PDB file of all heavy atoms in Angstrom:
ATOM      1  N   LEU A 265      58.075  61.549  91.028  1.00 87.00           N
ATOM      2  CA  LEU A 265      58.565  62.313  89.882  1.00 87.00           C
ATOM      3  C   LEU A 265      60.048  61.994  89.781  1.00 87.00           C
ATOM      4  O   LEU A 265      60.829  62.371  90.651  1.00 87.00           O
ATOM      5  CB  LEU A 265      58.317  63.812  90.063  1.00 87.00           C
ATOM      6  CG  LEU A 265      58.633  64.661  88.831  1.00 87.00           C
ATOM      7  CD1 LEU A 265      57.692  64.338  87.682  1.00 87.00           C
ATOM      8  CD2 LEU A 265      58.546  66.145  89.150  1.00 87.00           C
ATOM      9  N   LEU A 266      60.410  61.242  88.754  1.00 88.00           N
ATOM     10  CA  LEU A 266      61.793  60.791  88.653  1.00 88.00           C
ATOM     11  C   LEU A 266      62.707  61.950  88.249  1.00 88.00           C
ATOM     12  O   LEU A 266      62.288  62.886  87.564  1.00 88.00           O
ATOM     13  CB  LEU A 266      61.907  59.624  87.671  1.00 88.00           C
ATOM     14  CG  LEU A 266      61.046  58.399  88.009  1.00 88.00           C
ATOM     15  CD1 LEU A 266      61.398  57.217  87.114  1.00 88.00           C
ATOM     16  CD2 LEU A 266      61.170  57.978  89.475  1.00 88.00           C
ATOM     17  N   GLY A 267      63.951  61.847  88.692  1.00 88.00           N
ATOM     18  CA  GLY A 267      64.919  62.939  88.577  1.00 88.00           C
ATOM     19  C   GLY A 267      65.036  63.591  87.215  1.00 88.00           C
ATOM     20  O   GLY A 267      65.135  64.812  87.117  1.00 88.00           O
ATOM     21  N   ASP A 268      64.977  62.774  86.166  1.00 89.00           N
ATOM     22  CA  ASP A 268      65.148  63.338  84.814  1.00 89.00           C
ATOM     23  C   ASP A 268      64.109  64.400  84.501  1.00 89.00           C
ATOM     24  O   ASP A 268      64.354  65.294  83.701  1.00 89.00           O
ATOM     25  CB  ASP A 268      65.017  62.229  83.759  1.00 89.00           C
ATOM     26  CG  ASP A 268      66.061  61.148  83.945  1.00 89.00           C
ATOM     27  OD1 ASP A 268      67.153  61.489  84.391  1.00 89.00           O
ATOM     28  OD2 ASP A 268      65.766  59.974  83.656  1.00 89.00           O
ATOM     29  N   LYS A 269      62.939  64.252  85.082  1.00 90.00           N
ATOM     30  CA  LYS A 269      61.866  65.201  84.757  1.00 90.00           C
ATOM     31  C   LYS A 269      61.874  66.437  85.656  1.00 90.00           C
ATOM     32  O   LYS A 269      61.085  67.341  85.461  1.00 90.00           O
ATOM     33  CB  LYS A 269      60.497  64.500  84.810  1.00 90.00           C
ATOM     34  CG  LYS A 269      60.259  63.594  83.589  1.00 90.00           C
ATOM     35  CD  LYS A 269      58.923  62.886  83.656  1.00 90.00           C
ATOM     36  CE  LYS A 269      57.777  63.716  83.130  1.00 90.00           C
ATOM     37  NZ  LYS A 269      56.517  62.951  83.067  1.00 90.00           N
ATOM     38  N   VAL A 270      62.755  66.419  86.676  1.00 91.00           N
ATOM     39  CA  VAL A 270      62.833  67.589  87.557  1.00 91.00           C
ATOM     40  C   VAL A 270      63.786  68.611  86.930  1.00 91.00           C
ATOM     41  O   VAL A 270      64.971  68.681  87.227  1.00 91.00           O
ATOM     42  CB  VAL A 270      63.271  67.188  88.992  1.00 91.00           C
ATOM     43  CG1 VAL A 270      63.238  68.391  89.909  1.00 91.00           C
ATOM     44  CG2 VAL A 270      62.364  66.091  89.538  1.00 91.00           C
ATOM     45  N   THR A 271      63.251  69.405  86.022  1.00 91.00           N
ATOM     46  CA  THR A 271      64.017  70.454  85.346  1.00 91.00           C
ATOM     47  C   THR A 271      64.156  71.642  86.307  1.00 91.00           C
ATOM     48  O   THR A 271      63.462  71.685  87.333  1.00 91.00           O
ATOM     49  CB  THR A 271      63.268  70.915  84.086  1.00 91.00           C
ATOM     50  OG1 THR A 271      61.978  71.388  84.500  1.00 91.00           O
ATOM     51  CG2 THR A 271      63.082  69.775  83.093  1.00 91.00           C
ATOM     52  N   PRO A 272      65.007  72.611  85.971  1.00 92.00           N
ATOM     53  CA  PRO A 272      65.122  73.766  86.872  1.00 92.00           C
ATOM     54  C   PRO A 272      63.773  74.421  87.173  1.00 92.00           C
ATOM     55  O   PRO A 272      63.507  74.800  88.315  1.00 92.00           O
ATOM     56  CB  PRO A 272      66.058  74.710  86.107  1.00 92.00           C
ATOM     57  CG  PRO A 272      66.901  73.799  85.271  1.00 92.00           C
ATOM     58  CD  PRO A 272      66.000  72.651  84.897  1.00 92.00           C
ATOM     59  N   ALA A 273      62.905  74.529  86.151  1.00 91.00           N
ATOM     60  CA  ALA A 273      61.605  75.178  86.379  1.00 91.00           C
ATOM     61  C   ALA A 273      60.745  74.358  87.351  1.00 91.00           C
ATOM     62  O   ALA A 273      60.102  74.907  88.247  1.00 91.00           O
ATOM     63  CB  ALA A 273      60.867  75.357  85.050  1.00 91.00           C
ATOM     64  N   VAL A 274      60.763  73.049  87.165  1.00 91.00           N
ATOM     65  CA  VAL A 274      59.971  72.179  88.049  1.00 91.00           C
ATOM     66  C   VAL A 274      60.541  72.243  89.460  1.00 91.00           C
ATOM     67  O   VAL A 274      59.805  72.350  90.453  1.00 91.00           O
ATOM     68  CB  VAL A 274      59.979  70.724  87.530  1.00 91.00           C
ATOM     69  CG1 VAL A 274      59.322  69.781  88.532  1.00 91.00           C
ATOM     70  CG2 VAL A 274      59.277  70.631  86.185  1.00 91.00           C
ATOM     71  N   ALA A 275      61.862  72.211  89.556  1.00 92.00           N
ATOM     72  CA  ALA A 275      62.507  72.239  90.868  1.00 92.00           C
ATOM     73  C   ALA A 275      62.172  73.535  91.594  1.00 92.00           C
ATOM     74  O   ALA A 275      61.894  73.536  92.797  1.00 92.00           O
ATOM     75  CB  ALA A 275      64.018  72.082  90.710  1.00 92.00           C
ATOM     76  N   ARG A 276      62.164  74.639  90.861  1.00 92.00           N
ATOM     77  CA  ARG A 276      61.850  75.934  91.464  1.00 92.00           C
ATOM     78  C   ARG A 276      60.442  75.897  92.044  1.00 92.00           C
ATOM     79  O   ARG A 276      60.197  76.287  93.166  1.00 92.00           O
ATOM     80  CB  ARG A 276      61.988  77.035  90.414  1.00 92.00           C
ATOM     81  CG  ARG A 276      62.321  78.395  90.992  1.00 92.00           C
ATOM     82  CD  ARG A 276      62.940  79.348  89.981  1.00 92.00           C
ATOM     83  NE  ARG A 276      62.355  79.273  88.663  1.00 92.00           N
ATOM     84  CZ  ARG A 276      63.020  78.892  87.574  1.00 92.00           C
ATOM     85  NH1 ARG A 276      64.284  78.547  87.657  1.00 92.00           N
ATOM     86  NH2 ARG A 276      62.419  78.864  86.393  1.00 92.00           N
ATOM     87  N   MET A 277      59.514  75.410  91.230  1.00 90.00           N
ATOM     88  CA  MET A 277      58.120  75.347  91.659  1.00 90.00           C
ATOM     89  C   MET A 277      57.965  74.453  92.894  1.00 90.00           C
ATOM     90  O   MET A 277      57.176  74.741  93.783  1.00 90.00           O
ATOM     91  CB  MET A 277      57.277  74.810  90.501  1.00 90.00           C
ATOM     92  CG  MET A 277      55.808  74.669  90.780  1.00 90.00           C
ATOM     93  SD  MET A 277      55.025  76.247  91.068  1.00 90.00           S
ATOM     94  CE  MET A 277      55.101  76.936  89.426  1.00 90.00           C
ATOM     95  N   ARG A 278      58.736  73.382  92.931  1.00 90.00           N
ATOM     96  CA  ARG A 278      58.582  72.436  94.043  1.00 90.00           C
ATOM     97  C   ARG A 278      59.580  72.699  95.161  1.00 90.00           C
ATOM     98  O   ARG A 278      59.714  71.890  96.083  1.00 90.00           O
ATOM     99  CB  ARG A 278      58.753  71.001  93.535  1.00 90.00           C
ATOM    100  CG  ARG A 278      57.711  70.625  92.501  1.00 90.00           C
ATOM    101  CD  ARG A 278      57.646  69.121  92.300  1.00 90.00           C
ATOM    102  NE  ARG A 278      56.627  68.791  91.301  1.00 90.00           N
ATOM    103  CZ  ARG A 278      55.959  67.647  91.257  1.00 90.00           C
ATOM    104  NH1 ARG A 278      56.188  66.714  92.159  1.00 90.00           N
ATOM    105  NH2 ARG A 278      55.062  67.419  90.339  1.00 90.00           N
ATOM    106  N   GLN A 279      60.306  73.794  95.039  1.00 89.00           N
ATOM    107  CA  GLN A 279      61.318  74.170  96.035  1.00 89.00           C
ATOM    108  C   GLN A 279      62.285  73.018  96.293  1.00 89.00           C
ATOM    109  O   GLN A 279      62.517  72.618  97.429  1.00 89.00           O
ATOM    110  CB  GLN A 279      60.645  74.639  97.320  1.00 89.00           C
ATOM    111  CG  GLN A 279      59.884  75.936  97.081  1.00 89.00           C
ATOM    112  CD  GLN A 279      58.976  76.301  98.221  1.00 89.00           C
ATOM    113  OE1 GLN A 279      58.201  75.474  98.685  1.00 89.00           O
ATOM    114  NE2 GLN A 279      59.060  77.531  98.679  1.00 89.00           N
ATOM    115  N   SER A 280      62.790  72.477  95.195  1.00 90.00           N
ATOM    116  CA  SER A 280      63.716  71.364  95.309  1.00 90.00           C
ATOM    117  C   SER A 280      64.919  71.616  94.397  1.00 90.00           C
ATOM    118  O   SER A 280      65.130  72.736  93.936  1.00 90.00           O
ATOM    119  CB  SER A 280      62.992  70.075  94.945  1.00 90.00           C
ATOM    120  OG  SER A 280      63.866  68.999  95.022  1.00 90.00           O
ATOM    121  N   ILE A 281      65.677  70.564  94.134  1.00 91.00           N
ATOM    122  CA  ILE A 281      66.912  70.687  93.366  1.00 91.00           C
ATOM    123  C   ILE A 281      66.733  69.974  92.026  1.00 91.00           C
ATOM    124  O   ILE A 281      66.218  68.857  91.998  1.00 91.00           O
ATOM    125  CB  ILE A 281      68.064  70.021  94.156  1.00 91.00           C
ATOM    126  CG1 ILE A 281      68.249  70.737  95.496  1.00 91.00           C
ATOM    127  CG2 ILE A 281      69.361  70.015  93.368  1.00 91.00           C
ATOM    128  CD1 ILE A 281      69.002  69.917  96.505  1.00 91.00           C
ATOM    129  N   PRO A 282      67.147  70.598  90.916  1.00 92.00           N
ATOM    130  CA  PRO A 282      66.984  69.939  89.617  1.00 92.00           C
ATOM    131  C   PRO A 282      67.660  68.568  89.595  1.00 92.00           C
ATOM    132  O   PRO A 282      68.726  68.388  90.187  1.00 92.00           O
ATOM    133  CB  PRO A 282      67.670  70.891  88.637  1.00 92.00           C
ATOM    134  CG  PRO A 282      67.705  72.204  89.325  1.00 92.00           C
ATOM    135  CD  PRO A 282      67.762  71.931  90.791  1.00 92.00           C
TER     136      PRO A 282
END
Side-chain angles (χ1 to χ4, degrees):
Chain A
L265 188 66
L266 302 189
D268 300 328
K269 285 179 85 174
V270 185
T271 58
V274 172
R276 207 159 39 243
M277 179 65 70
R278 299 196 180 208
Q279 294 168 310
S280 179
I281 299 161

